[in-house]
Coordinates of all heavy atoms in Angstrom, one line a residue:
M1 N -1.2 -10.7 -3.4 CA -1.4 -10.6 -2.0 C -0.3 -11.4 -1.3 O 0.1 -11.1 -0.2 CB -2.7 -11.2 -1.6 CG -3.9 -10.4 -2.1 SD -3.9 -8.7 -1.6 CE -4.3 -8.8 0.2
Y2 N 0.2 -12.5 -1.9 CA 1.3 -13.3 -1.3 C 2.6 -12.5 -1.3 O 3.6 -13.0 -0.6 CB 1.5 -14.6 -2.0 CG 0.3 -15.5 -1.9 CD1 -0.5 -15.9 -3.1 CD2 -0.2 -16.0 -0.7 CE1 -1.6 -16.7 -3.0 CE2 -1.3 -16.8 -0.6 CZ -2.0 -17.1 -1.7 OH -3.1 -17.9 -1.6
S3 N 2.7 -11.4 -2.0 CA 4.0 -10.7 -2.1 C 4.1 -9.6 -1.0 O 5.1 -8.9 -1.0 CB 4.1 -10.0 -3.5 OG 4.0 -11.0 -4.5
I4 N 3.0 -9.4 -0.3 CA 3.0 -8.4 0.7 C 3.7 -8.9 2.0 O 3.3 -9.9 2.6 CB 1.6 -7.9 1.1 CG1 0.9 -7.4 -0.2 CG2 1.5 -6.9 2.2 CD1 -0.6 -7.1 0.0
P5 N 4.7 -8.2 2.5 CA 5.4 -8.6 3.7 C 4.4 -8.4 4.9 O 3.7 -7.4 5.0 CB 6.6 -7.7 3.8 CG 6.4 -6.6 2.8 CD 5.3 -7.0 1.9
R6 N 4.5 -9.3 5.9 CA 3.6 -9.2 7.1 C 4.5 -9.5 8.3 O 5.4 -10.3 8.3 CB 2.5 -10.2 7.0 CG 1.5 -9.9 5.9 CD 0.3 -10.9 5.9 NE -0.8 -10.5 5.1 CZ -0.8 -10.4 3.8 NH1 0.2 -10.8 3.1 NH2 -1.9 -10.0 3.1
L7 N 4.2 -8.8 9.4 CA 5.0 -8.9 10.6 C 4.9 -10.3 11.2 O 5.9 -10.8 11.8 CB 4.5 -7.9 11.6 CG 4.8 -6.4 11.3 CD1 4.2 -5.5 12.3 CD2 6.3 -6.2 11.2
N8 N 3.8 -11.0 11.1 CA 3.6 -12.3 11.7 C 4.0 -13.5 10.7 O 3.7 -14.6 11.0 CB 2.2 -12.5 12.2 CG 1.2 -12.4 11.1 OD1 1.5 -12.0 10.0 ND2 0.0 -12.8 11.4
D9 N 4.6 -13.1 9.6 CA 4.9 -14.1 8.6 C 6.3 -14.7 8.8 O 7.3 -13.9 9.0 CB 4.9 -13.5 7.2 CG 4.9 -14.5 6.0 OD1 5.4 -15.6 6.3 OD2 4.4 -14.1 5.0
V10 N 6.4 -16.0 8.9 CA 7.7 -16.6 9.3 C 8.6 -17.0 8.0 O 9.7 -17.4 8.2 CB 7.5 -17.9 10.1 CG1 6.9 -17.5 11.5 CG2 6.7 -18.9 9.4
R11 N 8.0 -16.7 6.8 CA 8.7 -17.1 5.6 C 10.0 -16.2 5.5 O 10.0 -15.0 5.9 CB 7.9 -16.8 4.4 CG 6.8 -17.8 4.2 CD 6.0 -17.5 3.0 NE 5.4 -16.2 3.1 CZ 4.7 -15.6 2.2 NH1 4.6 -16.2 1.0 NH2 4.2 -14.4 2.3
T12 N 11.1 -16.7 5.0 CA 12.3 -15.9 4.8 C 12.3 -15.2 3.5 O 13.1 -14.3 3.2 CB 13.5 -16.7 5.0 OG1 13.5 -17.8 4.1 CG2 13.6 -17.2 6.4
K13 N 11.4 -15.7 2.5 CA 11.4 -15.2 1.2 C 10.0 -15.0 0.8 O 9.1 -15.8 1.0 CB 12.1 -16.2 0.3 CG 12.5 -15.7 -1.1 CD 13.3 -16.8 -1.8 CE 13.5 -16.4 -3.2 NZ 14.0 -17.5 -4.0
L14 N 9.7 -13.8 0.2 CA 8.4 -13.5 -0.3 C 8.1 -14.1 -1.6 O 9.1 -14.3 -2.4 CB 8.2 -12.0 -0.3 CG 8.2 -11.2 1.0 CD1 8.2 -9.7 0.7 CD2 7.0 -11.6 1.9
D15 N 6.9 -14.3 -2.0 CA 6.6 -14.9 -3.3 C 6.5 -13.7 -4.3 O 5.7 -12.8 -4.2 CB 5.2 -15.5 -3.3 CG 5.2 -16.8 -2.4 OD1 6.2 -17.4 -2.3 OD2 4.1 -17.1 -1.9
P16 N 7.4 -13.7 -5.3 CA 7.4 -12.6 -6.3 C 6.3 -12.8 -7.3 O 5.8 -13.9 -7.5 CB 8.8 -12.8 -7.0 CG 9.1 -14.2 -6.9 CD 8.5 -14.7 -5.5
I17 N 5.8 -11.7 -7.8 CA 4.8 -11.8 -8.9 C 5.6 -12.1 -10.2 O 6.6 -11.3 -10.5 CB 4.1 -10.4 -9.1 CG1 3.3 -10.1 -7.8 CG2 3.1 -10.5 -10.2 CD1 2.7 -8.8 -7.7
P18 N 5.3 -13.1 -10.9 CA 6.1 -13.5 -12.1 C 5.9 -12.4 -13.2 O 5.0 -11.7 -13.2 CB 5.5 -14.8 -12.5 CG 4.2 -14.9 -12.0 CD 4.2 -14.1 -10.7
G19 N 6.9 -12.4 -14.1 CA 6.8 -11.5 -15.3 C 7.3 -10.1 -15.0 O 7.9 -9.9 -13.9
A20 N 7.1 -9.2 -15.9 CA 7.7 -7.9 -15.8 C 6.6 -6.9 -15.6 O 5.5 -7.1 -16.2 CB 8.5 -7.5 -17.0
V21 N 6.9 -5.8 -15.0 CA 5.9 -4.7 -14.8 C 5.7 -4.1 -16.2 O 6.7 -3.8 -16.9 CB 6.4 -3.6 -13.8 CG1 5.5 -2.4 -13.8 CG2 6.7 -4.2 -12.5
P22 N 4.4 -3.9 -16.6 CA 4.2 -3.3 -18.0 C 4.7 -1.9 -18.1 O 4.7 -1.1 -17.1 CB 2.7 -3.4 -18.2 CG 2.1 -3.5 -16.8 CD 3.2 -4.1 -15.9
H23 N 5.1 -1.5 -19.3 CA 5.5 -0.1 -19.5 C 4.3 0.8 -19.3 O 3.2 0.5 -19.8 CB 6.0 0.1 -20.9 CG 6.7 1.4 -21.2 ND1 6.0 2.5 -21.3 CD2 8.0 1.7 -21.2 CE1 6.9 3.5 -21.5 NE2 8.1 3.0 -21.4
P24 N 4.4 1.9 -18.6 CA 3.3 2.8 -18.3 C 2.6 3.4 -19.6 O 1.5 3.8 -19.5 CB 3.9 3.9 -17.4 CG 5.3 3.8 -17.5 CD 5.7 2.4 -18.0
L25 N 3.4 3.4 -20.7 CA 2.7 3.9 -21.9 C 2.2 2.8 -22.8 O 1.7 3.0 -23.9 CB 3.8 4.7 -22.7 CG 4.3 6.0 -22.0 CD1 5.3 6.7 -22.9 CD2 3.1 6.9 -21.7
D26 N 2.3 1.6 -22.3 CA 1.8 0.4 -23.0 C 1.1 -0.6 -22.1 O 1.5 -1.7 -22.0 CB 3.0 -0.3 -23.8 CG 2.5 -1.4 -24.7 OD1 1.3 -1.3 -25.2 OD2 3.2 -2.3 -25.0
L27 N 0.2 0.0 -21.3 CA -0.5 -0.9 -20.3 C -1.5 -1.8 -21.0 O -2.1 -1.5 -22.1 CB -1.3 0.0 -19.4 CG -0.4 0.9 -18.5 CD1 -1.3 1.9 -17.7 CD2 0.4 0.0 -17.5
P28 N -1.7 -3.0 -20.5 CA -2.6 -3.9 -21.1 C -4.1 -3.5 -20.9 O -4.4 -2.7 -20.0 CB -2.4 -5.2 -20.3 CG -1.8 -4.8 -19.0 CD -1.0 -3.6 -19.3
K29 N -4.9 -3.9 -21.8 CA -6.4 -3.6 -21.7 C -6.9 -4.5 -20.5 O -6.3 -5.5 -20.2 CB -7.1 -4.0 -23.0 CG -8.5 -3.7 -23.0 CD -9.1 -4.2 -24.3 CE -10.7 -4.0 -24.2 NZ -11.3 -4.8 -25.3
G30 N -7.9 -4.1 -19.8 CA -8.4 -4.8 -18.7 C -7.6 -4.7 -17.5 O -6.9 -3.6 -17.3
C31 N -7.6 -5.7 -16.6 CA -6.8 -5.6 -15.4 C -5.3 -5.5 -15.7 O -4.8 -6.3 -16.5 CB -7.1 -6.8 -14.5 SG -6.1 -6.8 -13.0
K32 N -4.6 -4.6 -15.1 CA -3.2 -4.4 -15.4 C -2.3 -5.6 -14.9 O -1.2 -5.7 -15.3 CB -2.7 -3.1 -14.7 CG -3.5 -1.9 -15.1 CD -3.7 -1.7 -16.6 CE -4.5 -0.6 -17.0 NZ -5.6 -0.9 -18.0
F33 N -2.9 -6.4 -14.1 CA -2.1 -7.6 -13.6 C -2.4 -8.8 -14.4 O -1.8 -9.9 -14.2 CB -2.5 -7.9 -12.1 CG -1.7 -7.0 -11.2 CD1 -2.3 -5.9 -10.7 CD2 -0.5 -7.4 -10.8 CE1 -1.6 -5.0 -9.8 CE2 0.2 -6.5 -9.9 CZ -0.3 -5.4 -9.4
A34 N -3.4 -8.8 -15.4 CA -3.8 -10.0 -16.1 C -2.6 -10.8 -16.7 O -2.6 -12.0 -16.6 CB -4.8 -9.6 -17.2
P35 N -1.6 -10.1 -17.4 CA -0.5 -10.8 -18.0 C 0.3 -11.6 -16.9 O 1.1 -12.5 -17.3 CB 0.3 -9.8 -18.7 CG -0.6 -8.6 -18.9 CD -1.5 -8.7 -17.7
R36 N 0.2 -11.2 -15.7 CA 1.1 -11.8 -14.6 C 0.3 -12.6 -13.6 O 0.9 -13.1 -12.6 CB 1.9 -10.7 -14.0 CG 2.7 -9.8 -14.9 CD 3.2 -8.6 -14.3 NE 4.2 -8.9 -13.3 CZ 4.6 -8.0 -12.4 NH1 4.1 -6.8 -12.3 NH2 5.6 -8.4 -11.5
C37 N -1.0 -12.7 -13.8 CA -1.9 -13.2 -12.7 C -2.3 -14.7 -13.1 O -2.9 -14.9 -14.2 CB -3.1 -12.4 -12.5 SG -4.3 -13.0 -11.3
K38 N -2.1 -15.6 -12.3 CA -2.4 -17.0 -12.6 C -3.9 -17.3 -12.4 O -4.4 -18.4 -12.7 CB -1.6 -18.0 -11.7 CG -1.9 -17.9 -10.2 CD -1.0 -18.9 -9.5 CE -1.2 -18.9 -8.0 NZ -0.3 -19.8 -7.3
Y39 N -4.7 -16.2 -12.0 CA -6.1 -16.4 -11.8 C -6.9 -15.6 -12.9 O -8.1 -15.5 -12.8 CB -6.5 -15.9 -10.4 CG -5.8 -16.6 -9.3 CD1 -4.8 -16.0 -8.6 CD2 -6.2 -17.9 -9.0 CE1 -4.2 -16.7 -7.5 CE2 -5.6 -18.6 -8.0 CZ -4.6 -18.0 -7.2 OH -3.9 -18.6 -6.2
A40 N -6.2 -15.0 -13.8 CA -6.9 -14.2 -14.8 C -7.9 -14.9 -15.7 O -7.5 -16.0 -16.2 CB -5.8 -13.5 -15.7
T41 N -9.0 -14.4 -15.9 CA -10.0 -15.0 -16.8 C -10.2 -14.0 -18.0 O -9.6 -13.0 -18.1 CB -11.4 -15.1 -16.1 OG1 -11.9 -13.8 -15.8 CG2 -11.3 -15.9 -14.8
A42 N -11.1 -14.4 -18.9 CA -11.3 -13.6 -20.1 C -11.9 -12.2 -19.7 O -11.5 -11.2 -20.3 CB -12.3 -14.3 -21.0
K43 N -12.6 -12.2 -18.6 CA -13.2 -10.9 -18.1 C -12.0 -10.0 -17.6 O -12.0 -8.8 -17.9 CB -14.1 -11.2 -16.9 CG -14.7 -9.9 -16.3 CD -15.7 -10.3 -15.2 CE -16.4 -9.0 -14.7 NZ -17.4 -9.3 -13.7
C44 N -11.0 -10.6 -17.0 CA -9.8 -9.8 -16.5 C -9.1 -9.2 -17.7 O -8.6 -8.1 -17.6 CB -8.9 -10.7 -15.7 SG -9.6 -11.5 -14.3
W45 N -9.0 -9.9 -18.8 CA -8.3 -9.4 -20.0 C -9.1 -8.3 -20.7 O -8.5 -7.5 -21.3 CB -8.0 -10.6 -21.0 CG -6.9 -11.5 -20.5 CD1 -7.1 -12.7 -19.9 CD2 -5.5 -11.3 -20.7 NE1 -5.8 -13.2 -19.6 CE2 -4.9 -12.4 -20.1 CE3 -4.8 -10.2 -21.2 CZ2 -3.5 -12.5 -20.1 CZ3 -3.4 -10.4 -21.2 CH2 -2.8 -11.5 -20.6
A46 N -10.4 -8.4 -20.5 CA -11.3 -7.4 -21.3 C -11.7 -6.2 -20.5 O -11.9 -5.1 -21.1 CB -12.5 -8.2 -21.8
E47 N -11.8 -6.3 -19.2 CA -12.3 -5.2 -18.4 C -11.4 -4.9 -17.3 O -10.8 -5.8 -16.7 CB -13.7 -5.6 -17.8 CG -14.8 -6.0 -18.8 CD -16.0 -6.5 -18.1 OE1 -16.3 -6.0 -17.0 OE2 -16.6 -7.4 -18.6
E48 N -11.4 -3.6 -16.9 CA -10.6 -3.2 -15.7 C -11.5 -3.2 -14.5 O -12.5 -2.6 -14.5 CB -10.0 -1.8 -15.9 CG -9.1 -1.4 -14.7 CD -8.2 -0.3 -15.1 OE1 -8.4 0.4 -16.1 OE2 -7.3 -0.1 -14.3
P49 N -11.1 -3.9 -13.4 CA -11.9 -3.9 -12.2 C -12.0 -2.6 -11.6 O -11.0 -1.8 -11.6 CB -11.3 -5.0 -11.3 CG -9.9 -5.2 -11.9 CD -9.9 -4.8 -13.3
T50 N -13.1 -2.2 -11.0 CA -13.2 -0.9 -10.2 C -12.6 -1.1 -8.8 O -12.5 -2.2 -8.3 CB -14.6 -0.5 -10.2 OG1 -15.4 -1.5 -9.5 CG2 -15.2 -0.2 -11.5
L51 N -12.2 0.0 -8.2 CA -11.7 0.0 -6.9 C -12.9 -0.1 -5.9 O -13.8 0.7 -5.9 CB -10.9 1.2 -6.6 CG -10.1 1.3 -5.3 CD1 -9.0 0.2 -5.3 CD2 -9.5 2.7 -5.1
E52 N -12.9 -1.2 -5.1 CA -14.0 -1.4 -4.1 C -13.5 -1.4 -2.7 O -12.4 -1.9 -2.4 CB -14.6 -2.8 -4.4 CG -15.2 -3.0 -5.8 CD -16.5 -2.3 -6.1 OE1 -17.2 -1.9 -5.1 OE2 -16.7 -2.0 -7.2
Q53 N -14.2 -0.7 -1.8 CA -13.8 -0.6 -0.4 C -14.3 -1.9 0.3 O -15.5 -2.1 0.2 CB -14.3 0.6 0.2 CG -13.8 0.8 1.6 CD -13.9 2.2 2.2 OE1 -14.6 3.0 1.6 NE2 -13.3 2.5 3.3
V54 N -13.5 -2.6 0.9 CA -13.9 -3.9 1.6 C -14.0 -3.7 3.1 O -14.7 -4.5 3.8 CB -13.0 -5.1 1.2 CG1 -13.2 -5.4 -0.3 CG2 -11.5 -4.8 1.5
D55 N -13.3 -2.7 3.7 CA -13.5 -2.4 5.1 C -13.0 -1.0 5.3 O -12.7 -0.3 4.3 CB -13.0 -3.4 6.1 CG -11.4 -3.4 6.1 OD1 -10.8 -2.4 5.7 OD2 -10.9 -4.4 6.5
E56 N -12.9 -0.5 6.5 CA -12.6 0.9 6.7 C -11.3 1.4 6.1 O -11.2 2.5 5.6 CB -12.6 1.2 8.2 CG -12.4 2.6 8.6 CD -12.4 2.8 10.1 OE1 -12.5 1.9 10.9 OE2 -12.2 4.0 10.5
H57 N -10.3 0.5 6.1 CA -9.0 0.9 5.6 C -8.5 0.1 4.4 O -7.4 0.3 4.0 CB -8.0 0.8 6.7 CG -8.3 1.6 7.9 ND1 -8.2 3.0 7.9 CD2 -8.7 1.3 9.1 CE1 -8.6 3.4 9.1 NE2 -8.9 2.4 9.9
Q58 N -9.3 -0.8 3.8 CA -8.8 -1.6 2.8 C -9.7 -1.5 1.5 O -10.9 -1.5 1.6 CB -8.8 -3.1 3.2 CG -7.7 -3.4 4.3 CD -7.6 -4.8 4.5 OE1 -8.6 -5.5 4.9 NE2 -6.4 -5.4 4.4
F59 N -9.0 -1.5 0.4 CA -9.7 -1.4 -0.9 C -9.1 -2.6 -1.8 O -8.0 -3.1 -1.5 CB -9.3 -0.1 -1.6 CG -9.9 1.1 -0.9 CD1 -9.3 1.7 0.2 CD2 -11.1 1.7 -1.3 CE1 -9.8 2.7 0.8 CE2 -11.6 2.8 -0.7 CZ -10.9 3.3 0.4
V60 N -9.9 -3.0 -2.7 CA -9.5 -4.1 -3.6 C -9.9 -3.7 -5.0 O -11.0 -3.1 -5.2 CB -10.1 -5.4 -3.2 CG1 -11.6 -5.4 -3.3 CG2 -9.5 -6.6 -4.0
R61 N -9.0 -4.0 -6.0 CA -9.3 -3.8 -7.4 C -9.1 -5.2 -8.1 O -8.1 -5.4 -8.7 CB -8.4 -2.7 -8.0 CG -8.8 -2.3 -9.4 CD -7.9 -1.4 -10.0 NE -7.7 -0.1 -9.4 CZ -8.5 1.0 -9.6 NH1 -9.4 0.9 -10.4 NH2 -8.2 2.1 -8.9
C62 N -10.0 -6.1 -7.9 CA -9.9 -7.4 -8.5 C -11.4 -8.0 -8.6 O -12.2 -7.7 -7.7 CB -9.1 -8.3 -7.5 SG -9.0 -10.0 -8.1
F63 N -11.6 -8.7 -9.7 CA -12.9 -9.3 -9.9 C -13.1 -10.5 -8.9 O -14.2 -10.9 -8.7 CB -13.1 -9.8 -11.3 CG -13.2 -8.7 -12.3 CD1 -12.3 -8.6 -13.4 CD2 -14.2 -7.7 -12.2 CE1 -12.3 -7.6 -14.3 CE2 -14.3 -6.7 -13.2 CZ -13.3 -6.6 -14.2
Y64 N -12.0 -11.1 -8.5 CA -12.1 -12.3 -7.7 C -11.3 -12.2 -6.4 O -10.3 -12.9 -6.2 CB -11.6 -13.5 -8.5 CG -12.2 -13.5 -9.9 CD1 -11.5 -13.1 -11.0 CD2 -13.5 -13.9 -10.1 CE1 -12.0 -13.2 -12.3 CE2 -14.1 -14.0 -11.3 CZ -13.3 -13.6 -12.4 OH -13.9 -13.6 -13.7
P65 N -11.6 -11.3 -5.5 CA -10.8 -11.1 -4.3 C -10.9 -12.2 -3.3 O -10.0 -12.3 -2.5 CB -11.4 -9.8 -3.7 CG -12.8 -9.7 -4.2 CD -12.8 -10.4 -5.5
E66 N -11.9 -13.1 -3.3 CA -12.0 -14.1 -2.4 C -11.2 -15.3 -2.8 O -11.4 -15.9 -3.9 CB -13.5 -14.6 -2.2 CG -14.4 -13.5 -1.6 CD -15.0 -12.6 -2.7 OE1 -14.9 -13.0 -3.9 OE2 -15.6 -11.6 -2.4
K67 N -10.3 -15.8 -1.9 CA -9.4 -16.9 -2.2 C -10.2 -18.2 -2.5 O -9.8 -18.9 -3.4 CB -8.5 -17.2 -1.0 CG -7.5 -18.2 -1.2 CD -6.4 -18.5 -0.2 CE -6.6 -18.1 1.2 NZ -5.6 -18.5 2.1
E68 N -11.3 -18.4 -1.9 CA -12.1 -19.6 -2.1 C -12.6 -19.6 -3.6 O -12.7 -20.6 -4.2 CB -13.3 -19.7 -1.1 CG -12.9 -19.9 0.3 CD -12.3 -18.6 1.0 OE1 -12.6 -17.5 0.5 OE2 -11.6 -18.7 2.0
V69 N -13.0 -18.4 -4.0 CA -13.5 -18.3 -5.4 C -12.4 -18.6 -6.4 O -12.5 -19.3 -7.3 CB -14.1 -16.9 -5.7 CG1 -14.5 -16.7 -7.1 CG2 -15.4 -16.7 -4.8
R70 N -11.2 -17.9 -6.2 CA -10.1 -18.1 -7.1 C -9.6 -19.5 -7.2 O -9.2 -20.0 -8.2 CB -8.9 -17.2 -6.7 CG -9.1 -15.7 -6.9 CD -7.8 -15.0 -6.7 NE -7.1 -15.3 -5.5 CZ -7.3 -14.7 -4.4 NH1 -8.2 -13.7 -4.2 NH2 -6.6 -15.0 -3.3
N71 N -9.7 -20.2 -6.1 CA -9.1 -21.6 -6.0 C -10.2 -22.6 -6.4 O -9.9 -23.8 -6.4 CB -8.5 -21.9 -4.7 CG -7.2 -21.1 -4.5 OD1 -6.5 -20.8 -5.4 ND2 -7.0 -20.7 -3.2
S72 N -11.4 -22.2 -6.7 CA -12.5 -23.2 -7.0 C -12.2 -23.8 -8.3 O -11.6 -23.3 -9.2 CB -13.8 -22.5 -7.0 OG -14.0 -21.6 -8.1
A73 N -12.7 -25.1 -8.5 CA -12.6 -25.8 -9.7 C -13.2 -25.0 -10.9 O -12.7 -24.9 -12.0 CB -13.2 -27.2 -9.6
E74 N -14.4 -24.4 -10.6 CA -15.1 -23.6 -11.6 C -14.2 -22.4 -12.1 O -14.1 -22.2 -13.3 CB -16.4 -23.1 -11.0 CG -17.3 -22.3 -12.0 CD -18.6 -21.8 -11.4 OE1 -18.9 -22.3 -10.3 OE2 -19.2 -21.0 -12.0
H75 N -13.6 -21.7 -11.2 CA -12.7 -20.6 -11.6 C -11.5 -21.1 -12.3 O -11.1 -20.5 -13.3 CB -12.3 -19.8 -10.3 CG -11.5 -18.6 -10.7 ND1 -12.1 -17.4 -11.0 CD2 -10.2 -18.4 -11.0 CE1 -11.2 -16.5 -11.4 NE2 -10.0 -17.1 -11.3
Q76 N -10.9 -22.2 -11.9 CA -9.7 -22.7 -12.6 C -10.0 -23.1 -14.1 O -9.2 -22.9 -14.9 CB -9.1 -23.9 -11.9 CG -8.5 -23.5 -10.5 CD -7.4 -22.5 -10.7 OE1 -6.5 -22.6 -11.5 NE2 -7.5 -21.4 -9.9
K77 N -11.3 -23.5 -14.3 CA -11.7 -23.8 -15.7 C -11.8 -22.6 -16.5 O -11.6 -22.6 -17.8 CB -13.0 -24.5 -15.7 CG -13.0 -26.0 -15.3 CD -14.3 -26.6 -15.4 CE -14.5 -27.7 -14.4 NZ -15.9 -28.1 -14.2
A78 N -12.0 -21.4 -15.9 CA -12.2 -20.1 -16.6 C -10.9 -19.4 -16.8 O -10.9 -18.3 -17.4 CB -13.2 -19.3 -15.8
V79 N -9.8 -19.9 -16.2 CA -8.5 -19.1 -16.2 C -8.0 -19.1 -17.7 O -8.0 -20.1 -18.4 CB -7.5 -19.8 -15.3 CG1 -6.1 -19.3 -15.6 CG2 -7.9 -19.5 -13.8
V80 N -7.6 -17.9 -18.1 CA -7.0 -17.7 -19.4 C -5.6 -17.1 -19.1 O -5.5 -16.0 -18.6 CB -7.8 -16.7 -20.2 CG1 -7.1 -16.4 -21.6 CG2 -9.2 -17.2 -20.4
N81 N -4.6 -17.8 -19.4 CA -3.2 -17.4 -19.1 C -2.6 -16.5 -20.1 O -1.5 -16.0 -19.9 CB -2.3 -18.6 -18.9 CG -2.7 -19.3 -17.6 OD1 -3.0 -18.7 -16.6 ND2 -2.6 -20.6 -17.6
H82 N -3.2 -16.2 -21.2 CA -2.7 -15.3 -22.2 C -3.8 -14.7 -22.9 O -4.9 -15.2 -22.9 CB -1.7 -16.0 -23.1 CG -2.4 -17.2 -23.8 ND1 -3.3 -17.1 -24.8 CD2 -2.4 -18.5 -23.4 CE1 -3.7 -18.3 -25.2 NE2 -3.2 -19.2 -24.3
E83 N -3.5 -13.6 -23.5 CA -4.6 -12.9 -24.3 C -4.9 -13.7 -25.5 O -4.1 -14.2 -26.3 CB -4.0 -11.5 -24.8 CG -5.1 -10.5 -24.9 CD -4.5 -9.1 -25.0 OE1 -3.2 -9.0 -24.9 OE2 -5.2 -8.2 -25.1
S84 N -6.2 -14.1 -25.7 CA -6.6 -14.9 -26.8 C -8.0 -14.4 -27.4 O -8.6 -13.6 -26.8 CB -6.7 -16.3 -26.4 OG -7.5 -16.5 -25.3
Ligands
LIG1 S1 -7.9 -12.2 -10.8 FE1 -7.9 -10.1 -10.1 S2 -5.7 -9.4 -10.1 FE2 -5.9 -11.3 -11.4 S3 -6.2 -10.5 -13.4 FE3 -8.3 -10.8 -12.6 S4 -8.9 -8.9 -11.7 FE4 -6.7 -8.8 -12.0

């Protein structure tokens, strides 16, 4: 979400998503962003999130779309940074 350009954003540089885009014929199991996501948990590595509509024009495909949840101490303890 930090990589999306916004008209009211005063930053001169966007935050890139670290790592490389996976090969389309060798996609990871679970969430396709898990290898590059600093919030990935064991659930992210094992299951692919479904696409959920959050308002009239917006959809999300993430188990933890709320920033407060992702940044909570409980969530940080559950973060798995690599497939294990
Ligand atoms: S936190 Fe969301 S984007 Fe990140 S790996 Fe899990 S489901 Fe994917």
Side-chain angles (χ1 to χ4, degrees):
M1 296 300 290
Y2 295 117
S3 301
I4 298 173
R6 292 181 167 75
L7 292 175
N8 62 349
D9 194 337
V10 295
R11 291 178 299 170
T12 56
K13 196 172 171 190
L14 295 173
D15 294 331
I17 300 172
V21 176
H23 191 283
L25 297 178
D26 189 25
L27 294 173
K29 182 181 173 195
C31 178
K32 304 311 175 228
F33 280 94
R36 305 169 67 199
C37 178
K38 65 182 180 180
Y39 302 106
T41 65
K43 181 177 183 176
C44 303
W45 285 98
E47 301 172 36
E48 182 163 15
T50 57
L51 189 63
E52 304 285 338
Q53 187 163 12
V54 293
D55 69 26
E56 188 179 357
H57 302 290
Q58 290 187 307
F59 294 82
V60 64
R61 189 187 297 274
C62 178
F63 291 122
Y64 312 103
E66 297 91 10
K67 185 170 28 174
E68 294 76 20
V69 171
R70 288 193 310 273
N71 289 329
S72 70
E74 184 180 343
H75 185 88
Q76 290 303 310
K77 286 184 207 163
V79 166
V80 177
N81 290 322
H82 54 81
E83 212 164 358
S84 55

